[in-house]
């Protein structure tokens, strides 16, 4: 079955200048290992289910390269590789977030690709000057324009996501990098839409959050529940969502 590719965008975000390379890498790694829980309260269960439906079954960009009619996620292990031509080495920060995802999301087998192991999720860490060049390579569009500060392209069919490529700008500050990394990696796992009604979420481009929030942990845990399969329609999934949400909240102690 022909895979489809879906790009997710990020709206303009305040820019910050990079710190010295070593200090920046260490500070960012520590931030990922101790991400704050977030101060905002969660919506009620009905609101959480509406939010799940919006980001999992909606489509931020509609057209030939997107399909919002069915659920999308990786059906098997996710193996991540970092391509880091940027001046600052962000590999440790990416690996730290991948470890957190593997720890915090039940049902998701995600890890950094080992030596000689094929990767199906590539994080391209680039300086601003290389953003367009790498975007053209990822999208196979020699004259295309890549919007925003970061983006993810996911190839998928009804059998699941087969590959995701996230492009993240590195040299415009730690805060922008952290926000972009979290959003694009999460969206590349399947919640490919935005939700402007969720202030507690990085899936909301108007928010300034830079952590893997409780709201987003619930969304991704629900998506990777074994009861939800790639290719399911909203009508098939909807009756299962209350029980899946209840179980996810219990696991996450929310």
């Amino acid at each position: 079955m022909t895979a489809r590719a879906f790009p997710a965008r990020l709206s303009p975000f305040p820019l910050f200048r990079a710190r010295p390379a070593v200090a920046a890498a260490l500070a960012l790694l520590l931030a990922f290992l101790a991400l704050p829980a977030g101060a905002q309260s969660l919506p009620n269960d009905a609101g959480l289910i509406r939010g799940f439906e919006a980001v999992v079954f909606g489509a931020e960009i509609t057209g030939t390269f997107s399909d919002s009619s069915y659920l999308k996620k990786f059906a098997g292990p996710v193996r991540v590789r970092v391509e880091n031509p940027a001046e600052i080495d962000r590999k440790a920060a990416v690996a730290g977030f991948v470890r957190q995802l593997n720890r915090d999301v039940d049902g998701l087998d995600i890890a950094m690709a080992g030596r000689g192991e094929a990767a199906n999720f590539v994080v391209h860490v680039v300086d601003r000057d290389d953003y367009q060049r790498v975007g053209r390579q990822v999208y196979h569009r020699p004259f295309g324009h890549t919007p925003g500060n970061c983006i993810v392209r996911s190839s998928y069919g009804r059998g699941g996501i087969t590959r995701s490529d996230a492009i993240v700008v590195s040299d415009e500050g730690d805060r922008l990098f952290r926000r972009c990394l979290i959003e694009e990696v999460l969206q590349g796992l399947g919640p490919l839409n935005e939700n402007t009604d969720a202030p507690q979420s990085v899936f909301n481009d108007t928010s300034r959050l830079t952590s893997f929030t409780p709201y987003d942990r619930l969304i991704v845990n629900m998506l990777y529940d074994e009861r939800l399969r790639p290719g399911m329609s909203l009508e098939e999934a909807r009756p299962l969502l209350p029980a899946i949400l209840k179980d996810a909240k219990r696991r996450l102690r929310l």
Side-chain angles (χ1 to χ4, degrees), residues 204-224:
N204 179 355
D205 275 349
T206 65
S207 79
R208 294 173 177 250
L209 299 169
T210 57
S211 66
F212 188 22
T213 69
Y215 182 100
D216 294 333
R217 293 183 193 190
L218 278 171
I219 296 297
V220 183
N221 270 273
M222 290 175 67
L223 177 60
Y224 277 86

Side-chain angles (χ1 to χ4, degrees), residues 16 37 46 64 83 102 123 137 143 152 163 193 204:
F16 298 84
T64 304
E83 298 288 345
N102 192 60
V123 179
Q137 290 177 350
F143 303 105
V152 66
R163 180 184 171 103
N193 196 22
N204 179 355

Side-chain angles (χ1 to χ4, degrees), residues 4 9 13 29 38 55 102 111 124 137 192 214 225 243 245:
R4 299 175 184 266
R9 298 172 296 178
F13 196 77
L29 175 58
V55 297
N102 192 60
H124 305 264
Q137 290 177 350
L192 286 164
D225 188 286
L245 172 60

Side-chain angles (χ1 to χ4, degrees), residues 74-135:
F74 282 92
V78 181
R79 293 297 176 261
V80 181
R81 184 177 78 247
V82 182
E83 298 288 345
N84 195 129
E87 182 177 354
I88 300 173
D89 188 350
R90 305 279 193 179
K91 293 177 183 177
V94 177
F97 185 48
V98 168
R99 286 194 297 272
Q100 185 187 19
L101 284 168
N102 192 60
R103 182 177 67 246
D104 290 354
V105 180
D106 193 58
L108 173 62
D109 177 2
I110 184 170
M112 300 302 294
R115 186 181 298 274
E117 186 178 14
N120 51 7
F121 199 133
V122 179
V123 179
H124 305 264
V125 180
V126 301
D127 289 333
R128 171 60 68 185
D129 289 346
D130 278 338
Y131 186 66
Q132 293 301 324
R133 178 184 63 80
V134 175

Side-chain angles (χ1 to χ4, degrees), residues 22-64:
V22 175
L26 290 175
L28 195 56
L29 175 58
L30 291 174
F32 274 119
L33 295 176
L35 290 173
Q40 293 173 314
S41 61
L42 291 169
N44 60 25
D45 286 0
L48 287 165
I49 289 173
R50 284 195 302 271
F52 178 86
E53 293 177 356
V55 297
V56 170
F57 291 97
E60 182 184 0
I61 302 174
T62 59
T64 304

Side-chain angles (χ1 to χ4, degrees), residues 233-252:
S233 68
L234 176 57
E235 290 70 25
E236 292 173 312
R238 182 170 277 159
L240 305 174
L241 296 182
I244 289 173
L245 172 60
K246 181 179 179 181
D247 291 344
K249 290 176 74 173
R250 184 176 63 248
R251 285 197 305 271
L252 295 172

